[in-house]
Amino acid sequence: MSARTDIVDEEGSDTKSSFKRNTPVAIKITKLDKSFRGNQVLRNLNMDVKPGETLVVIGKTGSGKSVLLRHIIGLEKPDSGEILINGMDVEDPEVRKKHRFAMVFQSSALFNSITVAENISLYLREHRVFQDENGIRQIVSNTLSIVGLEGKEDIMPSELSGGMKKRVAIARALAMNPDLILIDEPTSELDPMMARTIGDAILNLRKHVEVTQIVVTHDIDLAHYIADRIAVLDEGRIIEVGTPKEIDRSTNPIVRNFITTQFEREEGGTRL
Amino acid sequence: MNSVTVFFQTTGEIIKLLMESIFWCKEALGNREKIFKQVVEIGNRTLPVAALISLFIGGVLALQSGPTLAQFGIEENIGGIVGLSFVKELGPVMASVLVAGRVGSAMAAELGSMSVYQEIDALKTMDINPIRFLVMPRFIACIISLPLLVIYMDVIGWFGGALVSSVNPDIHVPFSVYYRNLSELVDFSDVLNGLVKATIFGIIISIVSCYVGLKTRGGPREIGTSVTKAVVLSFILILVFDYFITRLLILLNLD
């Protein structure tokens, strides 16, 4: 599958683009430690992510999921340990020259003073990816249609619901044509219907781009819905990794406890 | 960390932000729309208030000094006194205080909100340098706008002084006498003196406000705290630097 054609159709268009075709990345994290003011958040964390897979990291609130993502994208520096992206250290400037990373934040982090279209096209404009407006407009339109928000280009972020903001944030990430997308708590504070819509939007990305995805969530239902593999994070360590079925069969008491608690809550009607 | 360490760390970080902003000025042409937008924003926020306060400050200056001068029969010098006070001191200081209060506070609030709601992190993940994207346009806009605002306030302040001097029976100096005296006593170097101060104050306001905004952590309460901190710090630095710039200009025989 061509990773680019569904985002922007370059064939038949005279739009000149400096976009490289994306190549899903492999990630290897070894002995990662991080503490904030004496509070150890990540402890000797080891994790592998295969190119092109969707790895969902689950864990209870405060287990270090978001901190892990911030390390992978380079917003935090580890106290010790290393993160390798296709064999290169994440802090090596060459990594950013060879690969594009995108992150969808828990708060969506849309820029409130500009429209949805301007949010999505910000990367393209700032890095002068296209030499004319047609290429940018096409990418904005295509990415919005992938996340099911056709025709919302001129709306301001303040006019969007929480779920729509998350989907615009996913579209903004997708517009970068990234090799790696990190998604932080995509369904937090959303109702079950909207959570399913977000899950569909994340699954839909796979049909359009070959990309490595790491999603962190405490929503076991979403994890089962979108994951190729699930990693369970507890107290700053990965304690179990496997396919959704393998995780369901896990005998690890912490994993069992996490899954059981989640399903009990769902039966109580708080989730899907 | 003790307060001495915090002081030196903060000073170091502010100087670093200043240096990086100067470095990114090389991209000013490509970001001219953002800079123009900021200049318009500064104008929108300050011009009406600046007109009002400079008109009344000019009037008060004339009201305070005019009758005393009249007692000694030298009231025709009122134009020069109001003119010099405005161009060398009141114009730049009042314009800077106004910009710090109305524009610096907005900068700190906007950047503080962007920091708290992860928008700065979002920029970094998109490989967009926040200093180039957010600080540099505000930095250049302040450097352009403040001297222009000072000229605008000088002109209106002079007029305020002229109005009171001509209308007030204790002074009674006509417009023609007032402006003739003003043009005899105020020369270009005096105006330049005020513009140098305004430029430096513009640098202080933009860098301090952006620094405080970018350092904001926490939630809405911290955004409010940052706004107060940016305004207070700007006021203090404007007044402290005003003294030292004046001293330096006197030493260089430019005052």
Side-chain angles (χ1 to χ4, degrees), chain A residues 199-258:
Chain A
D200 287 336
I202 294 170
L203 276 180
N204 206 19
L205 297 184
R206 300 280 298 276
K207 295 180 191 160
H208 295 270
V209 284
E210 290 174 280
V211 63
T212 306
Q213 294 187 89
I214 303 177
V215 181
V216 307
T217 181
H218 59 268
D219 182 348
I220 189 80
D221 211 33
L222 176 78
H224 277 78
Y225 191 54
I226 62 172
D228 293 322
R229 290 192 303 147
I230 294 174
V232 184
L233 186 66
D234 183 67
E235 304 277 331
R237 287 192 190 90
I238 298 290
I239 55 167
E240 188 101 27
V241 184
T243 62
K245 282 183 181 169
E246 286 168 347
I247 292 296
D248 282 346
R249 290 196 297 266
S250 170
T251 53
N252 185 315
I254 299 170
V255 178
R256 296 267 12 117
N257 185 34
F258 184 76

Side-chain angles (χ1 to χ4, degrees), chain A residues 70 75 96 101 105 107 109-112 122-123 126-127 172 176, chain B residues 30 34 114 117-119 121-128 132-133:
Chain A
R70 290 176 66 84
L75 289 173
R96 287 303 184 119
F101 305 158
F105 289 85
S107 63
L110 298 180
F111 302 105
N112 287 318
L122 187 65
Y123 174 87
E126 288 299 315
H127 292 276
R172 184 172 70 180
M176 292 171 66
Chain B
K34 283 193 209 106
M114 291 182 78
Y117 297 109
Q118 297 181 305
E119 291 171 38
D121 285 342
L123 283 176
K124 288 177 188 167
T125 63
M126 286 190 264
D127 265 347
I128 298 171
R132 177 185 66 77
F133 187 74

Side-chain angles (χ1 to χ4, degrees), chain A residues 92-110:
Chain A
D92 184 344
E94 282 299 308
V95 172
R96 287 303 184 119
K97 287 181 188 162
K98 289 186 176 172
H99 303 289
R100 283 184 299 271
F101 305 158
M103 182 158 171
V104 178
F105 289 85
Q106 186 172 354
S107 63
S108 301
L110 298 180

Side-chain angles (χ1 to χ4, degrees), chain B residues 86-103:
Chain B
F86 241 97
V87 290
K88 291 172 85 167
E89 196 56 44
L90 283 168
V93 171
M94 291 313 295
S96 305
V97 166
L98 181 65
V99 169
R102 286 185 72 88
V103 180

